Every structure is written in C-alpha cells, then in structure tokens.
C-alpha cells in the first residue's frame, strides 16, 4: 500500500532499502523493519490529447480541463479529476489516460490522453400513461456535440391525451471560475384536464457550476408567460365559459444541489439535498412581487447487510400578498409518489370543485412534507418496504395529512423498481393508491 501511494504521488523511483521481518516464536512476536528510499518527486509534464479516428472537439476546449500548471507536483488525483471531467462532458465513448514516467525529462512526466468519440446523435422514444395526463408518447433527439466547440442540443416532445410538452435546449461548456454549462432552453406546455385549462411558455438562461465534488450551483433567469382557467359549473351543473387569467413573470433563481453518497443508484450511506431561491419585483417584467424558498433533504442509512432506512423531507414558502395572481406552475402542491403516498397526485392542499363534482388542486403558498421508510431485502434483488408519509400544502393553516403503506422492491440492472400500495388516513379521494416507479434513488 505504501509503495502504491508513493507511485500515486510521483515518487516513481522509490525502492526498498530494507525489508526485514524478525519472528521471535517464544514471545509470539514479530519485529518488522521497512525502509524506503523515495527518490525525487516527479512533476506534471506536457499533456497530449489524441482523438481517434477523428477530431470532434477542438484542442483549446480540452486544454481548459487541465486545471494544473505544467511543472507542478505529480499526483494521480489530478488525472482522475481530468477523467471525471471528460466523462461528464459525454463526448467520448472511451477515455485512456496514460502517464509515461519512463520518458520524463527534467523529472516532468508527459501524459497521453487518447479519446474515442461517442455517437453524435442519441434518439429516444417511449410510451407513457398517467392518471391525469392519459396515454402518451415521448420522442427525443440529443446532439452530444453540435460543433468542435462542444456545444450540445436537445429536443424532446411529450404528447399525451391531456398534457403536452415541447422542450428545446442548447448548452455551451463553461470552464471559467467553475466547471459547468451555459444553458438556454424554451418550453411550451398545454394541459387540458377536467378541471384545468393551462398553457404556458417559458424561457430559461442559466449557468451551472461544480463548487466541489458534492455541491453544484445553478444560477438562472426565467421569463414565463402563462394562461390558466379552472373549470367551474353553474347552478344547472353545466360548465361555465372559461375565465382565463394571464400572468407574466421574469425572475432570477439560484439552486444548490448537494449529494454525498456511497452509491448514486442504491445508497446505503448518503445525504442529498437541494435549496432553491427565486423571486421577482412587480414592474420589472413581473405582475406581482414574490419570493420563494424551497428545500428538500434525503438521508439513507444501511442497517445491517439487508436493511435500509430512508428519511425524506420538504419545506417551501412563498413570500407574496398576491397569491391569486401567481400561475399554477409557481405554486406548491402535495400528494403522490415522493410526496405523501396514500393520496393522489396534488390531492393534498387547497382545492376547487370541478364539473364532475370532484375536488381538484389549486396550489398553495406553503408546503411541508416528510417520509420515513424502512426496507428489508430477503435476497440480493428482492425486498419489501413499509413507510409513513405526512404533510400538507397550505396557504395559512396547515391541514396535515398522513398516509401509510407497504411495497415491493426489486434491484434491477437499471435501478430500483418500487411498487407501493398506500392508504391515506385523512379522507382521501380513494381508499388505496398504487405507485410504480423505476430509477436511481439519487
């Protein structure tokens, strides 16, 4: 282990001077003498990038990923960070980084980086079904690299019976100050349900940056235009003509994301959280003064070899005196998977009587939810879970709701598959709710 650590830190000429073990059998003891001659410490030499069979990214962009100066001390961790940066860019299918200490000149180790380009275009297609949205399809096209400057482009269409979304995104790599991206996106959405007629278009410009190995920050500017109307009924039980409201909001936002876990797909020791702040000023592209803060946290802890405890929480608050002027996309909701199981999606909180006699969510000023879940695995792949969820979305006085349930867990090759059955303890619309979700925990 010591020899390996010396090599990682650039002591390539390190060798033993003494390796001696003296065993005294009568005393049941051993005296161990290990002596190294570390030799000189090598430095980081010139780095050479080679893209084969073709060059897809210009050299000047790759050079920005090399954060150390030539001639600084050698450390394997520098090359590991370079590999991580190249991997996250998603330009290359294979990355081979090879230091050459035998070819060092003046104790400077040259480094060869051989990069194999990934496929330029990624196509995706899928089917979906949601209780509120209906059946639908999803189509997507991503260009991993648009040009030699490393720009990326993405287009995605979600087309369901009652909810449609079209998203276009363009990203530019940014390495000044913090590694990250400049992102420009536009999204148009249309939702036509039994109780809501909603259309919106939103433009977002953002800058993301990796503060350290666990923390990422995203600063953005949003321009939102939204039209909505809640379907109402008259005295005869017939739907009234829609009474549309319109809102324009231009506001900045900052979001911090923290993840520290032993495994992103199935963490047994991990802590993750987000903190979002956003707000706008009336008259500066915004219809009403508002400020908003939202925080989430997830904690994972393994208990023995086959058990796991999961604790989640969410808090959100809106600072405004004109909540009625805020569009649904800027309000808080509760209920459903990863919120309060035992209740339908957005069931918990202020609601509106729809034309079918059912109550539908309006969105709220505040949200507070929490969840405690215990998992036990009977085999490496199959397990069961029991959980308690609680919380509320509310304007002034919270109406706390609690749900309890159990589920089946399967550790599939693409991440945990979770099938839960839950019951709300506070007059839910349905006696039981069933939830199916697939994917990584973080």
């Amino acid at each position: 282990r010591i020899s390996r650590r010396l090599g990682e830190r650039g002591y390539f000429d390190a060798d033993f001077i003494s390796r001696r073990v003296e065993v005294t059998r009568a005393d049941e003891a051993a005296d161990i003498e290990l002596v190294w001659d570390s030799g000189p410490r090598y430095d980081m030499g010139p780095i050479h990038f080679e893209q084969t069979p073709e060059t897809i990214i210009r050299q000047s962009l790759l050079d920005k990923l090399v954060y150390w100066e030539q001639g600084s001390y050698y450390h394997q961790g520098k090359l590991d960070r370079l590999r991580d940066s190249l991997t996250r860019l998603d330009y290359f299918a294979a990355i081979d980084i090879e230091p050459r200490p035998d070819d060092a000149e003046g104790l400077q180790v040259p480094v060869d980086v051989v990069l194999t380009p990934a496929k330029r275009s990624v196509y995706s297609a899928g089917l979906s079904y949601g209780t509120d949205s209906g059946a639908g399809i999803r189509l997507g096209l991503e260009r991993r690299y648009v040009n030699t400057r490393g720009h990326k482009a993405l287009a995605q269409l979600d087309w369901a019976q009652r909810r449609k979304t079209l998203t276009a995104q363009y990203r530019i790599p940014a390495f000044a100050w913090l590694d990250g991206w400049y992102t420009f996106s536009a999204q148009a959405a249309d939702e036509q349900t039994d109780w809501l007629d909603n259309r919106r278009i939103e433009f977002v410009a953002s800058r993301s940056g990796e503060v350290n190995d666990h923390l990422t920050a995203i600063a953005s500017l949003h321009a939102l235009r939204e039209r909505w109307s809640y379907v109402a009924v008259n005295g005869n039980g017939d739907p009234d003509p829609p009474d549309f409201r319109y809102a324009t909001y231009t506001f900045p936002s900052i979001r911090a994301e923290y993840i520290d876990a032993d495994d992103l797909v199935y963490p047994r020791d991990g802590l993750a959280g987000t903190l979002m702040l956003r707000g706008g000023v009336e008259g500066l592209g915004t219809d009403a003064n508002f400020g908003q803060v939202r925080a989430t946290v997830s904690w994972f802890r393994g208990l023995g070899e086959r058990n796991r405890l999961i604790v989640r929480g969410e808090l959100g608050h809106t600072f405004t005196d004109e909540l009625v002027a805020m569009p649904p996309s800027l309000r808080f909701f509760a209920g459903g998977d990863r919120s309060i199981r035992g209740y339908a999606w957005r069931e918990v909180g202020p609601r509106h009587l729809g034309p079918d006699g059912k109550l539908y969510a309006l969105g709220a000023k505040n949200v507070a939810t929490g969840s405690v879940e215990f998992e036990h695995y009977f085999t490496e792949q199959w397990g069961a879970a029991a959980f308690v969820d609680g919380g509320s979305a509310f304007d002034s006085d919270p109406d706390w709701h609690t749900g309890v349930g159990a589920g089946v867990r399967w550790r599939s090759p693409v991440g945990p598959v979770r099938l839960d059955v839950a019951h709300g303890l506070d007059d839910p619309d349905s006696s039981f709710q069933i939830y199916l979700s697939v994917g990584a925990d973080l």
Side-chain angles (χ1 to χ4, degrees):
R1 185 183 299 115
I2 294 175
S3 296
R4 184 172 64 251
R5 292 291 178 87
L6 286 168
E8 291 173 352
R9 284 155 175 77
Y11 295 98
F12 294 108
D13 297 333
D15 197 5
F16 288 102
I17 294 177
S18 175
R19 289 182 290 177
R20 182 178 178 85
V21 180
E22 295 181 352
V23 177
T24 305
R25 296 177 61 185
D27 296 336
E28 297 181 350
D31 295 324
I32 303 174
E33 181 186 22
L34 298 176
V35 181
W36 278 266
D37 177 6
S38 68
R41 186 173 194 177
Y42 285 67
D43 297 323
M44 302 298 297
I47 185 167
H48 172 67
F49 290 95
E50 179 184 354
Q51 301 177 55
T52 179
E54 61 176 326
T55 297
I56 61 169
I57 302 298
R58 60 179 58 180
Q59 181 70 31
S60 59
L61 177 62
L62 298 177
D63 288 339
K64 293 180 181 179
L65 297 175
V66 182
Y67 69 92
W68 63 85
E69 297 289 337
Q70 182 174 334
S72 63
Y73 65 85
Y74 181 94
H75 197 294
Q76 181 64 36
K78 295 180 178 180
L79 301 183
D80 292 339
R81 176 174 169 179
L82 174 61
R83 184 188 303 277
D84 290 341
S85 297
L86 289 167
T87 301
R88 284 193 295 267
L89 289 174
D90 198 30
Y91 300 143
F92 308 106
I95 301 169
D96 183 21
I97 301 178
E98 186 67 31
R100 296 187 287 113
D102 292 340
D103 298 325
E105 295 183 4
L107 295 179
Q108 291 193 0
V109 180
V111 179
D112 291 338
V113 181
V114 180
L115 305 169
T116 304
K119 290 184 178 180
R120 188 173 192 177
S121 300
V122 180
Y123 301 92
S124 60
L127 302 176
S128 66
Y129 178 79
T131 306
D132 293 323
S133 60
I137 61 172
R138 174 177 293 181
L139 303 174
L141 168 62
E142 179 185 2
R143 297 280 278 185
R144 281 193 172 110
Y145 41 93
V146 175
N147 48 42
T148 59
R149 293 186 295 273
H151 296 189
K152 291 176 175 284
L154 169 71
Q156 184 170 293
L157 173 66
D158 284 330
W159 189 279
Q161 291 173 293
R162 294 184 292 276
R163 186 178 295 129
K164 302 166 182 64
T165 304
L166 176 63
T167 304
Q169 185 184 88
Y170 196 85
R171 292 196 294 162
I172 301 173
F175 302 121
W177 181 50
L178 296 174
D179 288 0
W181 298 90
Y182 294 107
T183 303
F184 305 91
S185 65
Q187 185 180 79
D190 185 341
E191 183 175 356
Q192 307 289 327
T193 67
D194 295 334
W195 61 282
L196 177 65
D197 183 341
N198 178 257
R199 290 179 179 176
R200 63 180 173 85
I201 184 168
E202 184 175 14
F203 299 93
V204 181
S206 67
R207 167 66 158 100
S208 64
E210 297 178 4
V211 180
N212 55 43
D213 291 341
H214 305 299
L215 182 62
T216 299
I218 305 169
S220 56
L221 180 65
H222 300 248
L224 170 68
R225 176 67 173 175
E226 190 160 347
R227 186 205 75 174
W228 75 98
S229 174
Y230 296 106
V231 180
V233 294
N234 57 30
N236 298 323
D238 298 322
D240 286 333
D243 180 19
F244 288 112
R245 297 186 63 90
Y246 295 83
T248 301
Y249 279 75
T250 303
F251 56 91
S253 171
I254 186 167
R255 177 184 174 91
E257 301 176 352
Y258 178 86
I259 298 178
D260 184 6
D262 56 353
D263 189 334
L264 298 181
V265 177
Y266 182 79
R268 287 180 53 82
D269 184 9
L271 178 66
T274 65
L275 177 63
M276 182 271 294
L277 301 172
R278 62 186 179 186
V281 178
E282 184 177 0
L284 296 179
T286 297
D287 290 347
N289 295 321
F290 85 101
Q292 222 168 43
V293 57
R294 179 176 180 265
T296 66
V297 64
S298 300
W299 179 70
F300 302 84
R301 178 54 55 90
L303 304 174
E305 295 184 357
R306 296 184 179 272
N307 304 315
R308 190 169 67 146
L309 180 66
I310 305 172
V311 179
R312 295 189 179 95
E314 174 191 18
L315 284 174
H317 177 67
T318 305
F319 301 90
T320 186
D321 294 327
E322 301 178 72
L323 182 66
V324 69
M326 296 188 65
S329 63
L330 294 180
R331 302 183 188 184
F332 291 119
F333 298 87
D337 186 29
R338 290 183 180 263
S339 178
I340 309 175
R341 287 167 288 188
Y343 301 88
W345 184 62
R346 295 185 170 183
E347 181 183 341
V348 179
R351 296 202 286 171
H352 161 77
L353 181 64
D356 56 1
K358 295 182 180 180
L359 295 171
Y360 295 96
L362 291 172
K365 192 174 183 178
N366 310 289
V367 67
T369 65
S371 172
V372 178
E373 181 173 325
F374 179 79
E375 291 181 347
H376 174 74
Y377 278 80
F378 303 100
T379 68
E380 288 294 324
Q381 283 77 36
W382 289 95
F387 54 84
V388 178
D389 296 349
S392 179
F394 57 96
D395 291 332
S396 55
D397 298 321
D399 181 16
W400 301 111
H401 287 62
T402 303
V404 296
V408 177
R409 300 290 182 266
W410 175 44
R411 296 181 62 179
S412 76
V414 296
V417 177
R418 298 169 285 268
L419 177 62
D420 292 328
V421 179
H423 172 63
L425 304 181
D426 301 273
D427 298 323
D429 292 342
S430 174
S431 298
F432 291 93
Q433 292 285 334
I434 299 176
Y435 308 95
L436 175 64
S437 60
V438 182
D441 288 323
L442 295 175

